[in-house]
Coordinates of all heavy atoms in Angstrom, one line a residue:
G60 N 148.0 302.1 303.4 CA 149.3 302.6 303.0 C 149.5 304.1 303.2 O 148.7 304.8 303.7
S61 N 150.7 304.5 302.7 CA 151.1 305.9 302.8 C 151.6 306.5 301.5 O 152.1 305.7 300.7 CB 152.2 306.0 303.9 OG 151.8 305.6 305.1
L62 N 151.5 307.7 301.4 CA 152.0 308.5 300.3 C 152.5 309.9 300.8 O 151.9 310.4 301.8 CB 151.0 308.7 299.2 CG 150.7 307.6 298.2 CD1 149.6 308.0 297.2 CD2 151.9 307.2 297.4
R63 N 153.5 310.4 300.1 CA 153.9 311.7 300.5 C 153.8 312.6 299.2 O 154.5 312.3 298.2 CB 155.4 311.7 301.0 CG 155.8 313.1 301.5 CD 157.3 313.1 301.6 NE 157.8 314.2 302.5 CZ 159.1 314.7 302.4 NH1 159.9 314.1 301.6 NH2 159.4 315.6 303.2
L64 N 153.0 313.6 299.3 CA 152.9 314.5 298.2 C 153.8 315.7 298.4 O 154.0 316.2 299.5 CB 151.4 315.1 298.0 CG 150.3 314.0 297.9 CD1 149.0 314.7 297.7 CD2 150.6 313.0 296.8
S65 N 154.3 316.2 297.3 CA 155.2 317.4 297.3 C 154.6 318.5 296.4 O 153.9 318.1 295.3 CB 156.6 317.1 296.9 OG 157.2 316.2 297.7
C66 N 154.8 319.7 296.7 CA 154.4 320.8 295.8 C 155.5 321.8 295.8 O 155.8 322.5 296.7 CB 153.1 321.5 296.4 SG 152.6 323.0 295.5
A67 N 156.1 321.9 294.6 CA 157.3 322.7 294.4 C 156.8 324.1 293.8 O 156.0 324.1 292.9 CB 158.3 322.1 293.4
A68 N 157.3 325.1 294.4 CA 156.9 326.5 294.0 C 158.1 327.2 293.3 O 159.2 327.0 293.7 CB 156.4 327.3 295.2
S69 N 157.8 328.0 292.3 CA 158.8 328.8 291.7 C 158.2 330.2 291.4 O 157.0 330.4 291.3 CB 159.2 328.2 290.3 OG 158.1 328.1 289.4
G70 N 159.0 331.2 291.3 CA 158.6 332.5 291.1 C 158.8 333.4 292.3 O 160.0 333.4 292.8
R71 N 157.8 334.0 292.8 CA 158.0 334.9 293.9 C 158.4 334.2 295.2 O 158.2 333.0 295.3 CB 156.7 335.7 294.1 CG 156.8 336.9 295.1 CD 155.5 337.6 295.2 NE 155.4 338.4 296.4 CZ 154.4 338.9 296.9 NH1 153.2 338.7 296.3 NH2 154.4 339.6 298.0
T72 N 158.9 334.8 296.1 CA 159.4 334.2 297.4 C 158.4 333.3 298.0 O 157.3 333.8 298.4 CB 159.8 335.3 298.4 OG1 160.8 336.2 297.7 CG2 160.5 334.7 299.6
F73 N 158.7 332.1 298.2 CA 157.8 331.1 298.6 C 157.3 331.4 300.0 O 156.1 331.2 300.3 CB 158.5 329.7 298.6 CG 157.7 328.6 299.1 CD1 156.5 328.2 298.4 CD2 158.0 327.9 300.3 CE1 155.7 327.1 298.9 CE2 157.2 326.8 300.7 CZ 156.1 326.4 300.0
S74 N 158.1 331.9 300.9 CA 157.7 332.2 302.2 C 156.7 333.4 302.3 O 156.2 333.6 303.4 CB 158.9 332.6 303.1 OG 159.6 333.7 302.6
S75 N 156.4 334.0 301.2 CA 155.3 335.0 301.2 C 153.9 334.5 301.2 O 153.0 335.2 301.3 CB 155.5 335.9 299.9 OG 156.8 336.5 299.9
Y76 N 153.8 333.1 301.0 CA 152.5 332.5 300.8 C 152.1 331.6 301.9 O 152.9 330.7 302.3 CB 152.5 331.8 299.5 CG 152.7 332.6 298.3 CD1 154.0 332.7 297.8 CD2 151.7 333.3 297.6 CE1 154.3 333.5 296.7 CE2 152.0 334.1 296.5 CZ 153.2 334.2 296.0 OH 153.5 335.0 295.0
A77 N 150.9 331.7 302.4 CA 150.2 330.6 303.1 C 149.9 329.5 302.1 O 149.5 329.8 301.0 CB 149.0 331.1 303.8
M78 N 150.0 328.3 302.5 CA 149.8 327.2 301.6 C 148.7 326.2 302.1 O 148.5 326.1 303.3 CB 151.1 326.4 301.4 CG 152.3 327.2 300.9 SD 152.0 327.8 299.2 CE 151.9 326.3 298.3
G79 N 148.1 325.6 301.1 CA 147.1 324.6 301.5 C 147.0 323.4 300.5 O 147.6 323.5 299.4
W80 N 146.4 322.4 300.9 CA 146.1 321.2 300.1 C 144.6 321.0 300.0 O 143.9 321.1 301.0 CB 146.8 319.9 300.6 CG 148.3 319.8 300.4 CD1 149.3 320.2 301.3 CD2 148.9 319.4 299.2 NE1 150.5 320.0 300.7 CE2 150.3 319.5 299.4 CE3 148.5 318.9 298.0 CZ2 151.3 319.1 298.5 CZ3 149.4 318.5 297.0 CH2 150.8 318.6 297.3
F81 N 144.1 320.7 298.8 CA 142.7 320.4 298.6 C 142.7 319.1 297.7 O 143.7 318.7 297.2 CB 142.1 321.6 297.8 CG 141.9 322.8 298.6 CD1 143.0 323.7 298.8 CD2 140.7 323.2 299.1 CE1 142.9 324.8 299.6 CE2 140.6 324.4 299.9 CZ 141.7 325.2 300.1
R82 N 141.5 318.6 297.7 CA 141.3 317.4 296.9 C 139.9 317.4 296.2 O 139.0 318.0 296.8 CB 141.5 316.1 297.7 CG 140.5 315.8 298.7 CD 140.9 314.6 299.6 NE 139.9 314.4 300.6 CZ 140.1 313.5 301.6 NH1 141.2 312.8 301.7 NH2 139.1 313.3 302.5
Q83 N 139.8 316.7 295.1 CA 138.5 316.6 294.4 C 138.4 315.1 294.0 O 139.2 314.6 293.2 CB 138.5 317.5 293.3 CG 137.1 317.6 292.6 CD 136.9 318.8 291.7 OE1 137.9 319.4 291.2 NE2 135.7 319.2 291.4
A84 N 137.3 314.5 294.5 CA 137.0 313.2 294.1 C 136.0 313.2 292.8 O 135.4 314.2 292.6 CB 136.3 312.4 295.2
P85 N 136.0 312.2 292.0 CA 135.1 312.2 290.9 C 133.7 312.5 291.2 O 133.1 311.9 292.1 CB 135.3 310.7 290.3 CG 136.6 310.3 290.8 CD 136.8 310.9 292.1
G86 N 133.1 313.4 290.6 CA 131.7 313.8 290.8 C 131.4 314.6 292.0 O 130.3 314.8 292.4
K87 N 132.5 315.0 292.7 CA 132.3 315.8 294.0 C 133.0 317.1 293.8 O 133.8 317.3 293.0 CB 132.9 315.0 295.1 CG 132.1 313.7 295.4 CD 132.6 313.1 296.7 CE 131.8 311.8 297.1 NZ 132.3 311.2 298.4
E88 N 132.6 318.0 294.7 CA 133.3 319.3 294.8 C 134.6 319.2 295.4 O 134.9 318.3 296.2 CB 132.4 320.3 295.5 CG 131.1 320.6 294.8 CD 130.3 321.7 295.5 OE1 130.7 322.1 296.6 OE2 129.3 322.1 295.0
R89 N 135.5 320.2 295.1 CA 136.8 320.3 295.7 C 136.6 320.5 297.2 O 135.7 321.3 297.6 CB 137.5 321.4 295.1 CG 138.9 321.6 295.6 CD 139.5 322.8 295.0 NE 138.8 324.1 295.3 CZ 138.9 325.2 294.7 NH1 139.6 325.3 293.6 NH2 138.2 326.3 295.1
E90 N 137.4 319.9 298.0 CA 137.3 320.1 299.5 C 138.7 320.4 300.1 O 139.7 319.9 299.6 CB 136.7 318.8 300.1 CG 137.5 317.6 300.0 CD 137.0 316.4 300.9 OE1 136.0 316.6 301.6 OE2 137.5 315.3 300.8
F91 N 138.6 321.1 301.2 CA 139.8 321.4 301.9 C 140.4 320.2 302.6 O 139.7 319.4 303.1 CB 139.5 322.5 302.9 CG 140.6 322.7 304.0 CD1 141.7 323.5 303.6 CD2 140.5 322.2 305.2 CE1 142.7 323.8 304.6 CE2 141.5 322.5 306.2 CZ 142.6 323.2 305.8
V92 N 141.7 320.1 302.6 CA 142.4 319.0 303.3 C 143.3 319.5 304.4 O 143.1 319.1 305.6 CB 143.3 318.2 302.3 CG1 144.1 317.1 303.1 CG2 142.5 317.6 301.2
A93 N 144.2 320.4 304.1 CA 145.1 320.9 305.2 C 145.7 322.2 304.8 O 145.7 322.5 303.6 CB 146.2 319.9 305.4
A94 N 146.1 323.0 305.8 CA 146.7 324.3 305.5 C 147.9 324.5 306.4 O 147.9 324.0 307.6 CB 145.7 325.4 305.6
V95 N 148.9 325.3 306.0 CA 150.0 325.7 306.8 C 150.3 327.2 306.6 O 150.1 327.7 305.5 CB 151.2 324.8 306.4 CG1 151.7 325.1 305.0 CG2 152.4 325.1 307.4
S96 N 150.7 327.8 307.7 CA 151.0 329.2 307.6 C 152.3 329.5 306.9 O 153.1 328.6 306.7 CB 151.0 329.8 309.1 OG 152.1 329.2 309.8
R97 N 152.5 330.8 306.7 CA 153.8 331.2 306.0 C 155.0 330.7 306.7 O 156.0 330.2 306.2 CB 153.8 332.7 305.8 CG 152.9 333.3 304.8 CD 152.9 334.8 304.8 NE 154.3 335.3 304.9 CZ 154.6 336.5 305.3 NH1 153.7 337.3 305.8 NH2 155.9 336.9 305.3
S98 N 154.9 330.8 308.0 CA 156.1 330.4 308.9 C 156.2 328.9 309.1 O 157.3 328.4 309.5 CB 156.0 331.1 310.2 OG 154.9 330.6 310.9
G99 N 155.1 328.2 308.8 CA 155.1 326.8 309.1 C 154.7 326.5 310.5 O 154.6 325.3 310.9
G100 N 154.5 327.6 311.3 CA 154.3 327.4 312.7 C 152.9 327.0 313.1 O 152.6 326.5 314.2
R101 N 151.9 327.2 312.2 CA 150.5 326.8 312.4 C 150.0 325.9 311.3 O 150.3 326.2 310.1 CB 149.7 328.1 312.5 CG 149.8 328.8 313.8 CD 148.7 329.8 313.9 NE 147.4 329.1 314.0 CZ 146.2 329.7 313.9 NH1 146.1 331.0 313.6 NH2 145.1 329.0 314.0
T102 N 149.3 324.9 311.6 CA 148.7 324.0 310.7 C 147.2 323.8 311.0 O 146.8 324.1 312.2 CB 149.3 322.7 310.6 OG1 149.3 322.1 311.9 CG2 150.8 322.8 310.2
Y103 N 146.4 323.4 310.0 CA 145.0 323.2 310.3 C 144.6 322.1 309.3 O 145.0 322.0 308.2 CB 144.2 324.5 310.0 CG 142.8 324.4 310.3 CD1 142.3 324.3 311.6 CD2 141.8 324.4 309.2 CE1 140.9 324.3 311.8 CE2 140.5 324.3 309.5 CZ 140.0 324.2 310.8 OH 138.7 324.2 311.1
Y104 N 143.7 321.2 309.8 CA 143.3 320.0 309.0 C 141.7 319.9 309.0 O 141.0 320.2 309.9 CB 143.9 318.8 309.7 CG 145.4 318.7 309.7 CD1 146.1 319.2 310.8 CD2 146.1 318.2 308.6 CE1 147.4 319.2 310.8 CE2 147.5 318.2 308.6 CZ 148.1 318.7 309.7 OH 149.5 318.7 309.7

């Protein structure tokens, strides 16, 4: 199946930040999932 996660930001100008998603499974360390640049023009998985 599929899901779509959202992350809403408030405070300082959102475009000032590079953003990323991480996940943590039970009993495991947090791991990197994906990242996007400030402009949205670059992504990494």
Side-chain angles (χ1 to χ4, degrees):
S61 297
L62 282 175
R63 187 196 197 201
L64 304 184
S65 299
C66 173
S69 60
R71 193 179 160 192
T72 305
F73 180 64
S74 59
S75 300
Y76 299 94
M78 300 296 296
W80 285 96
F81 292 76
R82 67 187 180 189
Q83 187 166 19
K87 295 189 177 181
E88 292 187 352
R89 183 183 64 198
E90 65 173 355
F91 169 77
V92 175
V95 62
S96 63
R97 286 173 49 200
S98 67
R101 286 195 64 196
T102 57
Y103 185 71
Y104 298 92

